Amino acid sequence: MIEPLRAVQDGYLVPLYLGTPPQLIQVYMDTGSDLTWVPCGNNPSFFNCMGCDDGGISKKYLTAAFSPFRSSSTARELCSSSFCIDIHSSDNYIDPCTMAGCSLSTLIKSSCARSCPSFAYTYGAGGVVTGMLTRDTIRVHENIDIINNNGNPTREIPSFSFGCVWSTYKEPIGIAGFGRGTLSLPSQLGFLQKGFSHCFLPFKFANNPNISSPLVIGDLAISSDQEENLQFTPMLKSPVYPNSYYIGLEAITIGNSSSSEVPLSLREFDSRGNGGMLIDSGTTYTHLPEPIYSQLLSTLRSVISYYPRAEDMEVKTGFDLCYRIPYTPNNKDISSNNTIIDTTREDFDILPSVTFHFLNNVSIVLSGGSHFYAMGPPRNATVTKCLLFQSMEDGENGPSGVFGSFQQQNMKVVYDIEKERVGFQHMDCASSAVSHGLHNQKP
């Protein structure tokens, strides 16, 4: 199974074809959560997102809402279903059925046919969604040439369980959960025992309708003939968050300097199950804890002393390290319709590289543009670039750090669930998109 991922400014959107006839809804791909949910209503204006007028929250990508009234195959999930029990975090099916108003006699006989009660689902960054658990047909792609074959999905899966959501807080457009729980999209499709892979296009392709990142689910994602080109680091199992994907960070290297060791908490869990580094496509930028984050900034400042700081941009964007960098022209860039164009490209080699060292001797040099990124077009022969890392907010619970989607650009990332490992391989994801038929070559 292969699906196209559309790059946007703060993540990657995956298309969901839900209902009969199918309704196309674009949602974020999120490896950090399980529930798949979509905005519901007769049109997007019925969907209420509180806090979505704040800066950085992209409700503008909400182009459609799912209408259960227009689908002949929609049904409410039953209170006794495993999915209802999961969404209500219960190990006892009687709990959600009691909430639904079932009588004691029906509870004892397991004969209550009431619908699953409404739920509230929370996210680590503070977002909340409320809705009803719904079942409907989902259609997926099995063919490779998706775009040039008009994008028609080729396989139907009935009774897919998802959240039909009318109201959220700071969650603007819907999410496809790729975690390890029973509610997740790959789990329900029967592919979680194998795994999945993605190759995120660089953000310069954000909002480009003619090219998509490849998302591969199932056997094709874990191909043995590709293993020799991948570096694998073990998945760490959190006793508190077992459905999330954790890896262990050992050190960070800046340029050719010696590696800086990081706290043990980035590769180990404490007695309460907190720690480790979450790998999360739903978080845009990599987050590091103190004091390693401040040490990273200090090292970069000492190494990049030859360029002037752009402190005005730091204040404007909220990023902690920005510089004004010379730019060079490059006349060999490829446009979205596969033609040569004249353009201006930043020279990423003039900034020091950043290398992450994960467990099992895995060293990943972040690709150009996934650590320092241009904040706008060149002006006066310079371009302003900022370090797109952020400090991990202090908190007693959860991961010690997060490896975000921005730092995963131009990299094939393989989630090998069967062997409990995550693989990395540098890759030109635009070329990979072309090879998977995800590039529209029509003028």
Side-chain angles (χ1 to χ4, degrees):
M1 171 183 165
I2 181 168
E3 295 292 334
L5 291 173
R6 174 189 167 201
V8 293
Q9 292 178 351
D10 52 0
Y12 295 85
L13 303 182
V14 59
L16 297 182
Y17 295 85
L18 290 170
T20 305
Q23 302 173 42
L24 173 59
I25 313 294
Q26 299 276 354
V27 298
Y28 282 109
M29 178 197 176
D30 184 17
T31 59
S33 63
D34 293 330
L35 176 68
T36 293
W37 66 268
V38 296
C40 277
N42 289 330
N43 61 62
S45 65
F46 285 90
F47 176 64
N48 177 33
C49 181
M50 296 178 290
C52 284
D53 294 328
D54 299 346
I57 299 192
S58 302
K59 193 176 179 180
K60 64 183 178 182
Y61 299 124
L62 175 60
T63 58
F66 177 74
S67 174
F69 308 106
R70 295 204 302 265
S71 173
S72 62
S73 50
T74 293
R76 288 277 301 278
E77 193 67 75
L78 296 178
C79 68
S80 57
S81 77
S82 61
F83 298 127
C84 183
I85 295 168
D86 192 342
I87 198 70
H88 287 284
S89 302
S90 173
D91 60 0
N92 187 339
Y93 78 92
I94 291 179
D95 289 344
C97 285
T98 301
M99 295 167 58
C102 296
S103 66
L104 180 59
S105 61
T106 58
L107 293 176
I108 294 172
K109 297 176 183 178
S110 301
S111 60
C112 182
R114 287 182 178 266
S115 298
C116 184
S118 59
F119 65 83
Y121 193 89
T122 60
Y123 292 90
V128 181
V129 303
T130 61
M132 296 291 184
L133 208 56
T134 302
R135 285 181 290 145
D136 211 330
T137 298
I138 188 172
R139 291 162 175 82
V140 298
H141 295 96
E142 288 187 312
N143 61 304
I144 298 298
D145 196 356
I146 294 173
I147 288 181
N148 293 323
N149 282 334
N150 300 316
N152 294 322
T154 58
R155 180 185 171 198
E156 291 187 0
I157 295 98
S159 299
F160 177 75
S161 189
F162 61 96
C164 195
V165 169
W166 284 274
S167 183
T168 72
Y169 175 67
K170 291 190 174 181
E171 296 295 339
I173 67 168
I175 288 174
F178 273 71
R180 304 182 70 172
T182 57
L183 276 166
S184 77
L185 189 145
S187 180
Q188 290 194 58
L189 299 187
F191 293 126
L192 195 59
Q193 68 272 21
K194 280 293 184 180
F196 57 92
S197 69
H198 56 68
C199 192
F200 288 156
L201 286 168
F203 271 39
K204 70 179 181 179
F205 291 102
N207 303 317
N208 187 329
N210 295 313
I211 190 166
S212 302
S213 300
L215 166 65
V216 184
I217 306 174
D219 291 337
L220 288 175
I222 318 296
S223 176
S224 58
D225 60 352
Q226 299 173 348
E227 286 193 11
E228 61 184 29
N229 299 317
L230 289 159
Q231 298 184 71
F232 285 100
T233 189
M235 284 182 187
L236 306 181
K237 181 66 72 73
S238 166
V240 177
Y241 306 102
N243 294 345
S244 299
Y245 303 102
Y246 284 86
I247 53 180
L249 182 66
E250 292 189 296
I252 299 175
T253 300
I254 306 300
N256 297 319
S257 63
S258 58
S259 299
S260 300
E261 291 190 9
V262 301
L264 283 173
S265 63
L266 281 167
R267 56 186 180 275
E268 294 181 358
F269 299 104
D270 64 19
S271 59
R272 295 173 298 177
N274 301 310
M277 191 167 202
L278 181 71
I279 178 168
D280 183 14
S281 67
T283 299
T284 308
Y285 307 118
T286 290
H287 288 64
L288 295 170
E290 295 292 357
I292 190 65
Y293 178 73
S294 292
Q295 293 172 8
L296 173 71
L297 295 182
S298 177
T299 302
L300 286 168
R301 282 193 293 264
S302 65
V303 172
I304 317 176
S305 58
Y306 40 85
Y307 293 127
R309 287 274 295 277
E311 295 181 354
D312 57 331
M313 186 61 73
E314 294 172 7
V315 173
K316 180 179 178 180
T317 62
F319 293 114
D320 292 310
L321 206 57
C322 299
Y323 291 95
R324 292 186 174 88
I325 310 293
Y327 72 91
T328 56
N330 175 13
N331 296 326
K332 296 183 179 180
D333 277 4
I334 307 298
S335 74
S336 59
N337 62 0
N338 212 30
T339 58
I340 305 295
I341 59 172
D342 291 332
T343 186
T344 298
R345 187 192 68 178
E346 308 94 316
D347 186 353
F348 294 110
D349 294 333
I350 60 181
L351 288 168
S353 61
V354 176
T355 304
F356 277 28
H357 304 275
F358 297 110
L359 292 173
N360 200 34
N361 295 317
V362 170
S363 295
I364 302 298
V365 181
L366 300 183
S367 63
S370 65
H371 46 11
F372 282 92
Y373 193 73
M375 293 292 104
R379 296 182 61 187
N380 301 322
T382 64
V383 65
T384 300
K385 299 180 186 179
C386 296
L387 178 70
L388 300 193
F389 286 62
Q390 293 180 329
S391 176
M392 193 74 183
E393 293 184 6
D394 292 334
E396 297 182 356
N397 301 316
S400 291
V402 182
F403 192 45
S405 64
F406 196 89
Q407 279 66 47
Q408 298 175 48
Q409 298 173 75
N410 267 344
M411 190 184 303
K412 182 178 181 179
V413 181
V414 175
Y415 292 77
D416 188 345
I417 312 298
E418 190 173 42
K419 296 183 178 179
E420 299 283 328
R421 58 185 185 169
V422 178
F424 298 95
Q425 178 188 351
H426 284 292
M427 184 172 289
D428 181 345
C429 292
S431 296
S432 179
V434 172
S435 70
H436 284 96
L438 297 174
H439 183 228
N440 189 352
Q441 300 182 19
K442 298 175 183 178

